[in-house]
């Protein structure tokens, strides 16, 4: 079991080294609480890549280096199981004697003398974040440091859930395993700080300990020093969100749940959710496209929904090909009513014959117009983006396509056998023209899950950011003459494992900013950080480090200059990120960020991401 867990935690690391070996051989945001945490989608496609990881590691690293990296990670697993878990459980119980057994008698603790403070106080939540200012720390002995931890712990009325997540770990002298080990971790406490009042505290810790063997950890006194470099405290007078799926009329059992199906039936991309007021009654409607079922829910007064899929003429089953999951509401004919692109087919929004109002019955229907249009997509469509890019009054369609890494390498950032994405210009009368080549809009050989339209330079013409699964995305700048110019957000390695994107003006400065949902891995960060300097050329190492750096918030400074702020704003370490959304959840005039993540996990309650 330990070996299996070890292999899973090293998944991203192995894939990262796989890429290298193949190439060489050839405004701030805070978390909202919910009584029922969202379950991340399982990504079985990842497991397909695990099989070759051992061979790839052997190909790129000599036997001693490979063994050292695996041994360090093995020590990390031991530290998590026999060290961090024991300390976390003792802290949750407020067991001071138990904690004392873990801290070395001559333990040296440190807390910031001066810090950068950021706090937000609203009627629905209070958030405070403190980060060390410079390198000024005050020393604390064992007793006072434990008292500081207990001060955080005792803010919870009931025993909180306490977790310690390993981030970095390595012996102080690279080859001296018997000497001291250094690293960092995140200590998170979550629970209720009062009846029905959720709260959480997260501490970023840097530590030194003895060699984390099972014997040393069970003997106690293994923690020699620890430093609190950052703290985040948040609380709310009530839970901000709750699961209202069933009471609103949505039947979740209709859709695929990867946690409850055999591994061979799991789907990495099981569908999507789309909002539109298709009948223009002032209430949003909800389309759910899933591998098991397609459902159009009509929004009703009071926030409930009614299944009208069959009544409005839409199919209830998706097609077997990948286009069956691609959907977009778009007013194709410019009549003011939004039509629907679904499963490779186009449906026109028309009045329903004999439709009545007042009883919540549908008054509009969707009629299949596919045979009247020349729009045909290639296999492998992964997403659609809608905009009137040429400002002729007709909505155009940008089609995204995925791919596999070129030559099994992630270093090049391109996809093998890729024909690029497609831009279809709406000519009217349900006719489209493929202008991809003429407009220079293919975005190269990128593997693209999504693209997003925005006016990046405030010239009134829609620009397009195209993300990339295997490397940096690209911003296509609309020249206003039917053509696009490629523009990179940064000159060096950036954005990797991108699965989603969203855009909005986060700081209300008039410039549209970007948030890119990328891959993040604590284990991958450790392995790459522990690779011996000089093993690979620095440009390749820089690319490798970007593989696991996490999601990125790009602040638009104007003049097509973008500043990466994901780590500084605390929105990078989401996990293996997918779709994200910028939305003003509290109606205060500032956009909030909802970020999702999914990963292959061993259990529903302990996602590895």
């Amino acid at each position: 079991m330990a070996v299996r867990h070890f292999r899973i935690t090293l998944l991203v690391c192995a894939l990262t080294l796989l890429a290298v070996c193949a190439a060489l051989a050839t405004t701030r945001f805070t978390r909202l609480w919910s009584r029922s945490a969202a379950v991340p989608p399982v990504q079985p496609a990842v497991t397909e890549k695990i099989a070759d990881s051992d061979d790839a590691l052997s190909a790129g690293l000599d036997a001693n280096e490979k063994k050292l990296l695996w041994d360090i990670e093995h020590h990390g697993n031991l530290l998590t199981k026999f060290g961090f878990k024991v300390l976390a459980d003792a802290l949750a119980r407020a067991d001071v004697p138990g904690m004392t057994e873990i801290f070395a008698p001559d333990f040296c603790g440190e807390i910031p003398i001066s810090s950068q403070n950021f706090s937000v106080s609203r009627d629905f939540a209070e958030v405070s974040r403190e980060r060390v200012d410079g390198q000024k720390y005050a020393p604390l002995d064992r007793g006072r440091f434990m008292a500081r931890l207990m001060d955080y712990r005792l803010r919870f009325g009931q025993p909180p859930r306490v977790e310690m997540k390993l981030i970095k770990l390595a012996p102080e002298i690279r080859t001296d395993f018997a000497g001291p080990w250094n690293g960092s971790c995140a200590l998170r406490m979550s629970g209720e700080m009062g009846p029905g009042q959720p709260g959480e505290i997260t501490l970023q810790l840097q530590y030194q300990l003895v060699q984390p063997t099972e014997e040393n950890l069970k003997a106690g006194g293994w923690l020699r020093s620890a430093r609190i470099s950052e703290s985040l405290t948040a609380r709310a007078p009530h839970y901000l969100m709750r699961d209202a799926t069933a009471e609103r009329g949505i039947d979740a059992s209709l859709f695929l749940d990867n946690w409850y199906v055999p591994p061979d039936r799991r789907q990495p991309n099981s569908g999507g959710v789309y909002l539109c007021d298709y009948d223009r009654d002032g209430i949003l409607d909800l389309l759910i496209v899933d591998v098991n079922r397609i459902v159009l829910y009509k929004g009703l007064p009071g926030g409930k929904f009614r299944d009208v899929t069959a009544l409005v003429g839409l199919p209830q089953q998706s097609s077997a090909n990948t286009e069956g999951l691609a959907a977009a509401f778009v007013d194709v004919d410019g009549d003011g009513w939004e039509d629907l692109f679904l499963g490779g087919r186009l449906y026109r929004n028309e009045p329903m014959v004999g439709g009545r109002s007042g009883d919540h019955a549908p008054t509009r229907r969707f009629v299949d117009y596919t045979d009247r249009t020349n729009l045909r997509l290639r296999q492998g469509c992964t997403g659609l983006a809608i905009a009137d890019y040429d400002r002729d009054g007709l909505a155009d369609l940008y089609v995204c396509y995925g791919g596999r890494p070129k030559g099994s390498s992630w270093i090049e950032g391109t996809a093998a056998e890729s024909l690029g994405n497609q831009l279809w210009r709406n000519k009217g009368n349900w006719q489209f023209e493929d202008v991809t080549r003429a407009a220079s809009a293919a975005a190269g050989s990128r593997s693209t899950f999504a693209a997003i339209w925005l006016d990046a330079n405030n010239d009134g013409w829609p620009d397009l950011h195209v993300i990339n699964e295997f490397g940096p995305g690209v911003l296509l700048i609309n020249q206003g003459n039917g053509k696009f110019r490629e523009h990179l957000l940064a000159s060096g390695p950036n954005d990797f494992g991108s699965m989603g994107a969203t855009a909005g003006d986060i700081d209300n400065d008039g410039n549209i900013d970007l948030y890119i949902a990328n891959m993040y891995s604590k284990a991958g960060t450790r392995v790459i950080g522990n690779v011996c300097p000089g093993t690979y050329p620095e440009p390749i190492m820089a690319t490798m480090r970007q593989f696991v750096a996490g999601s990125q918030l790009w602040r638009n400074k104007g003049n097509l200059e973008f500043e990466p702020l994901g780590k500084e704003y605390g929105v990078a370490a989401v996990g293996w990120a997918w779709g994200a959304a910028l939305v003003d959840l509290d109606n205060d005039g500032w956009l909030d960020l909802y970020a999702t993540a999914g990963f292959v996990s061993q259990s529903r309650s302990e996602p590895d991401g």
Side-chain angles (χ1 to χ4, degrees), residues 422-442:
Q422 288 181 304
L423 176 62
W424 290 87
R425 178 176 174 267
N426 190 341
K427 299 171 62 177
N429 195 31
W430 296 87
Q431 299 303 299
F432 290 82
E433 176 186 6
D434 185 351
V435 297
T436 310
R437 184 184 295 255
S440 301

Side-chain angles (χ1 to χ4, degrees), residues 7 10-11 13-18 21 48-59 66 70:
R7 291 183 179 273
L10 273 180
L11 167 62
C13 321
L15 294 179
T16 298
L17 294 174
L18 165 65
C21 296
E48 298 174 3
K49 303 176 184 178
I50 296 179
D52 299 328
S53 62
D54 288 340
D55 293 339
L57 285 168
S58 299
K66 175 184 174 182
W70 284 87

Side-chain angles (χ1 to χ4, degrees), residues 72-73 75-77 79-80 84 164-171 181-186 204-209 212 520-530 545 548 567:
I72 291 176
E73 277 302 290
H75 280 75
N77 286 333
L79 175 59
T80 297
F84 285 171
M164 295 186 70
K165 297 296 185 180
L166 181 64
I167 299 176
K168 293 182 180 180
L169 179 68
W181 287 57
N182 300 325
S184 62
C185 69
Q204 299 295 329
L205 302 178
Q206 299 170 345
Y207 58 80
Q208 184 179 90
L209 60 155
Y520 169 75
S521 168
K522 295 182 288 293
T525 301
R526 284 195 302 277
V527 168
I528 293 174
N530 287 329
R545 286 189 288 269
V548 291
K567 187 174 182 180

Side-chain angles (χ1 to χ4, degrees), residues 198-262:
E200 66 177 77
I201 296 173
T202 302
L203 305 178
Q204 299 295 329
L205 302 178
Q206 299 170 345
Y207 58 80
Q208 184 179 90
L209 60 155
V210 302
Q211 182 183 5
T213 64
E214 180 177 352
E215 180 181 8
N216 287 343
L217 294 169
K218 287 184 174 180
W222 51 266
L223 187 57
R224 300 177 60 176
S225 68
R227 167 189 291 173
I228 300 176
S229 59
E230 183 178 325
S231 67
L232 174 68
T233 303
R235 65 179 301 165
H238 54 79
Y239 286 90
L240 304 184
M241 294 184 179
R242 63 182 178 87
D243 186 350
T245 309
E247 72 180 60
R248 297 299 185 181
I250 298 173
D251 185 0
S253 68
L254 297 175
F255 312 113
L256 178 70
D257 189 332
N258 279 308
W259 290 104
Y260 296 116
V261 297

Side-chain angles (χ1 to χ4, degrees), residues 284-330:
L284 285 176
D285 310 301
L286 179 69
L287 174 69
I288 300 179
V289 179
D290 185 80
V291 293
N292 286 350
R293 182 77 179 271
I294 295 173
V295 180
L296 176 63
Y297 286 104
K298 173 178 166 54
L300 305 177
K304 293 193 174 183
F305 293 92
R306 176 188 174 194
D307 183 349
V308 296
T309 315
L311 292 175
V312 301
L314 291 179
Q316 294 178 302
Q317 299 294 326
S318 62
S319 60
N321 58 32
T322 55
E323 285 71 33
L325 300 178
F329 284 104
V330 49

Side-chain angles (χ1 to χ4, degrees), residues 103 107-113 132 135-142 144-145 148-149 204-206 224-230:
F103 286 69
F107 171 87
C108 297
E110 290 184 333
I111 59 172
I113 291 178
V132 63
Q135 292 295 322
K136 300 178 180 179
Y137 291 90
L140 295 178
D141 60 19
R142 177 173 64 175
R144 289 192 295 166
F145 192 86
R148 175 59 64 99
L149 294 182
Q204 299 295 329
L205 302 178
Q206 299 170 345
R224 300 177 60 176
S225 68
R227 167 189 291 173
I228 300 176
S229 59
E230 183 178 325

Side-chain angles (χ1 to χ4, degrees), residues 177-200:
F177 277 34
W181 287 57
N182 300 325
S184 62
C185 69
L187 189 159
R188 179 173 179 261
M189 293 173 262
S190 59
E192 291 190 351
M193 293 184 172
Q197 300 176 3
E200 66 177 77

Side-chain angles (χ1 to χ4, degrees), residues 257-270:
D257 189 332
N258 279 308
W259 290 104
Y260 296 116
V261 297
D264 60 349
R265 289 192 56 208
R266 292 174 180 167
Q267 296 284 341
N269 301 306
S270 59

